[in-house]
Amino acid sequence: MKLPTLLSLLGTLFLLLFHSVQVVAKDDDKSTTQDCEKLGFSTLVLCSDCQLLGQYVSDDSLVAECMGCCAEETQSNKKYEKAVLEICKHRLPAYPHINDFISRQVKEYTNKVEVKFKYGAYPRIILKNSAGKTGESVRIDSWQPEHLVEYLADKLIAGEGSVASDDEKDIL
């Protein structure tokens, strides 16, 4: 198999994995987002993908750079105090489902979900603890509003400003 074809195949694999796996950025000595982007890596590259890349390329420095920008997979049940939905205003028209969620449903999460417009940012949810420290971050490019509601219900601590599910409303 030719190297360009293999790299194209790996790139496609990376994109598919990004949309289906929740990632958490590690706090140890990882490269900054800007450093990683300059190197051509997204901070949403999974460390397992970097290990897979190492099996196909003999460039140890490339694999090391990838490992410096990667994130571990997680199945965390941890709850967070607040969520930040981050997106670029200029990208918003390309994501009508995210725009719909912002315009119709974010107001239901008073004091729990903040919309932050950041130039060049792809849509993502950043979860923060009560001290304001970033916990988890996940890209939401292809998520529908109902997926966002379900994710936030699962990840946010219930309380003032959170939305009760239909089951919770029946109990109340």
Side-chain angles (χ1 to χ4, degrees), residues 27 78 80-82 126-136:
D27 289 333
K78 187 173 180 181
Y80 294 90
E81 191 68 33
K82 184 176 182 180
I126 304 164
L127 298 169
K128 297 188 176 209
N129 64 19
S130 58
K133 185 173 179 176
T134 299
E136 299 178 26

Side-chain angles (χ1 to χ4, degrees), residues 4-113:
T5 305
L6 181 61
L7 290 177
S8 175
L9 179 63
L10 284 173
T12 303
L13 175 66
F14 290 155
L15 290 175
L16 290 173
L17 288 172
F18 292 151
H19 291 290
S20 63
V21 177
Q22 173 184 342
V23 297
V24 177
K26 294 197 297 189
D27 289 333
D28 49 0
D29 66 332
K30 290 289 186 177
S31 300
T32 65
T33 302
Q34 293 83 11
D35 293 340
C36 292
E37 289 174 354
K38 286 179 184 174
L39 292 171
F41 295 105
S42 162
T43 55
L44 296 175
V45 171
L46 298 173
C47 292
S48 60
D49 294 334
C50 295
Q51 293 165 352
L52 181 64
L53 178 65
Q55 295 176 3
Y56 292 97
V57 299
S58 59
D59 187 350
D60 291 337
S61 65
L62 176 65
V63 175
E65 289 171 350
C66 183
M67 293 298 286
C69 295
C70 71
E72 292 293 335
E73 299 176 38
T74 183
Q75 295 292 329
S76 172
N77 290 329
K78 187 173 180 181
K79 300 275 188 176
Y80 294 90
E81 191 68 33
K82 184 176 182 180
V84 177
L85 192 160
E86 185 178 86
I87 188 168
C88 176
K89 279 187 179 182
H90 301 289
R91 293 188 194 272
L92 203 51
Y95 300 100
H97 49 286
I98 304 293
N99 193 15
D100 180 53
F101 177 78
I102 291 170
S103 63
R104 294 181 186 196
Q105 292 176 298
V106 164
K107 61 186 170 239
E108 297 174 13
Y109 292 91
T110 309
N111 301 325
K112 288 289 187 179
V113 177

